[in-house]
Amino acid sequence: MEAILSPSPLQDSSHSNRCYNTHIACPPKPPHSPSPSILSSSSKYTLGYHLAHRLVQIGICDVFSVPGDFNLTLLDHLIAEPGLNNVGCCNELNAGYAADGYARARGVGACVVTFTVGGLSIINAIAGAYSENLPVICIVGGPNTNDYGTNRILHHTIGLPDFTQELRCFQTVTCYQAVVKNLEDAREQIDKAISTALEESKPAYISISCNLASIPHPTFSREPIPFAISARLSNRSGLEEAVEATAAFLNKAVKPVLVAETGESWFNCQKLKLPRGCCYEFQMQYGSIGWSVGATLGYAQSMPDKRVIACISDGSFQVTAQDVSTMIRCRQKSIIFLINNKGDVIKNWNYTGLVDAIHNGEGNCWAAKVSCERELVEAIATARGEKADSLCFIEVMVHKG
């Protein structure tokens, strides 16, 4: 079993199925022209630079974000960091799920959203990460410092002059909350939030006032404080019991990752006999419907040398389907098995047709619908062969559940 440099040892055996990798290098970042305000700054040691530098220092190469007017300047600074790639997501919930999946592979993940309307949207994913002991750094672009204490009612809020609602919601699902609204203690607050997340293996919340990201401060030029990072190992005995035999299409030279959605897919995947070295991920404790789409996106982004295989039921896919488009845009090569049992609770979709529409002839994506074992075997062969460099979506028609 591989191990990743990570904040702390596993606290229990519930994650014995989890794989970590110590040899992941960040892929080359596409060329990007930072905004003129960043290039012309008298000092590069701004608050935005400091946060970006800290994220890279702990091993984060990708942040999952949804832009909004409270975080736009901060996002500019994160994008300007050469070691950091911004993955724009279709909605905040999926950005949080992607950071969850990323943290499962890397040991830590990060997401960036805007104040209240974004924060309250992502909080369900952060709660799931909390239940799974995953250090996800949730960064929120906060109100302008000049708005505090003015009784102004800001847009993207619930219409009250109290700016603490979002903070109070996050207090129960994060191990540390930093509200940065002055530069003097910004470095200390950011570092404390990140180090606590790593130490406790739980999410942390960082809110940064939108007018501070571009401002330099002497404290941001100091040498980084090394974070205490120790090896994080999975339970070997538990793993060995689960990998006695091979599932033929999974057994490749570079072992894949299997992501199972909560519910029917999770129960059926328990019956699979996976090859040695294959990672198996599911959200056991929290069980949030739709988690697997974002988690597949995040996991695949963190480990481009592995092929992620996801088993997702039809109802779950309807919750978070949009970010298949992000997978295509990021040139991911995952295989998604959509289990279509034509359930009574939801309207049946043409899932293959939906993915074809999302693909729209741009990028590498292949979709197929199968209704018998022979067609399934053929589709798997195609996914592993001529479509090995594409995102593959296989809609499996099963008996009505």
Side-chain angles (χ1 to χ4, degrees), residues 47-55 74 78 139 190 194 206 208:
L47 190 158
Y49 164 85
H50 176 75
L51 177 59
H53 188 61
R54 281 293 188 260
L55 295 178
L74 178 61
L78 297 182
I139 302 161
I190 290 171
I194 293 175
I206 301 176
I208 296 179

Side-chain angles (χ1 to χ4, degrees), residues 317 324 328 334-336 338 350-360 364-370 379 382-383 387 390-396:
F317 188 74
V324 167
I328 298 172
S334 301
I335 301 175
I336 297 174
L338 189 286
N350 180 354
Y351 297 97
T352 306
L354 174 65
V355 171
D356 282 337
I358 293 173
H359 177 208
N360 197 29
N364 293 328
C365 179
W366 174 74
K369 184 179 296 186
V370 302
T382 300
K387 299 299 181 181
S390 299
L391 178 72
C392 294
F393 182 90
I394 302 174
E395 182 178 355
V396 182

Side-chain angles (χ1 to χ4, degrees), residues 25-97:
C26 295
K29 183 176 179 179
H32 172 76
S33 298
S35 65
S37 63
I38 296 176
L39 292 173
S40 62
S41 174
S42 60
S43 171
K44 72 173 183 177
Y45 299 113
T46 63
L47 190 158
Y49 164 85
H50 176 75
L51 177 59
H53 188 61
R54 281 293 188 260
L55 295 178
V56 172
Q57 182 193 0
I58 62 173
I60 292 176
C61 301
D62 304 90
V63 293
F64 301 91
S65 70
V66 176
D69 48 3
F70 288 103
N71 67 14
L72 293 178
T73 303
L74 178 61
L75 282 174
D76 269 348
H77 284 267
L78 297 182
I79 293 170
E81 166 58 49
L84 208 56
N85 177 49
N86 178 53
V87 179
C89 295
C90 295
N91 58 60
E92 291 87 358
L93 184 60
N94 277 343
Y97 287 153

Side-chain angles (χ1 to χ4, degrees), residues 40-283:
S40 62
S41 174
S42 60
S43 171
K44 72 173 183 177
Y45 299 113
T46 63
L47 190 158
Y49 164 85
H50 176 75
L51 177 59
H53 188 61
R54 281 293 188 260
L55 295 178
V56 172
Q57 182 193 0
I58 62 173
I60 292 176
C61 301
D62 304 90
V63 293
F64 301 91
S65 70
V66 176
D69 48 3
F70 288 103
N71 67 14
L72 293 178
T73 303
L74 178 61
L75 282 174
D76 269 348
H77 284 267
L78 297 182
I79 293 170
E81 166 58 49
L84 208 56
N85 177 49
N86 178 53
V87 179
C89 295
C90 295
N91 58 60
E92 291 87 358
L93 184 60
N94 277 343
Y97 287 153
D100 171 311
Y102 195 92
R104 290 167 184 266
R106 289 267 183 169
V108 62
C111 47
V112 185
V113 296
T114 196
F115 182 57
T116 304
V117 69
L120 298 187
S121 182
I122 203 171
I123 197 167
N124 183 54
I126 300 304
Y130 188 94
S131 74
E132 294 281 307
N133 298 316
L134 296 170
V136 171
I137 313 300
C138 182
I139 302 161
V140 176
N144 191 302
T145 57
N146 296 316
D147 288 326
Y148 281 93
T150 63
N151 284 328
R152 291 174 182 166
I153 295 177
L154 303 183
H155 68 155
H156 291 332
T157 69
I158 63 170
L160 297 176
D162 178 7
F163 300 160
T164 67
Q165 183 203 25
E166 178 185 85
L167 168 65
R168 286 183 278 115
C169 291
F170 273 94
Q171 284 174 338
T172 58
V173 294
T174 55
C175 65
Y176 191 88
Q177 306 83 39
V179 178
V180 179
K181 51 187 179 181
N182 66 77
L183 294 175
E184 284 66 29
D185 66 349
R187 180 179 187 269
E188 179 182 354
Q189 286 212 69
I190 290 171
D191 290 1
K192 179 65 174 177
I194 293 175
S195 61
T196 303
L198 295 177
E199 181 181 359
E200 298 188 15
S201 197
K202 295 285 188 181
Y205 166 86
I206 301 176
S207 172
I208 296 179
S209 287
C210 59
N211 60 321
L212 297 184
S214 297
I215 304 178
H217 193 270
T219 58
F220 300 143
S221 63
R222 295 176 186 169
E223 286 299 312
I225 300 172
F227 294 105
I229 301 177
S230 58
R232 181 173 183 171
L233 302 173
S234 295
N235 182 290
R236 184 176 296 275
S237 62
L239 174 68
E240 290 175 348
E241 293 176 3
V243 294
E244 295 174 354
T246 63
F249 78 95
L250 293 177
N251 195 11
K252 298 177 67 179
V254 178
K255 296 302 184 292
V257 178
L258 177 62
V259 175
E261 176 59 72
T262 298
E264 185 175 86
S265 294
W266 180 82
F267 288 114
N268 288 323
C269 284
Q270 299 301 305
K271 303 173 184 177
L272 290 177
K273 295 182 179 180
L274 304 177
R276 186 175 299 275
C278 176
C279 305
Y280 178 38
E281 297 289 348
F282 57 93
Q283 195 182 55

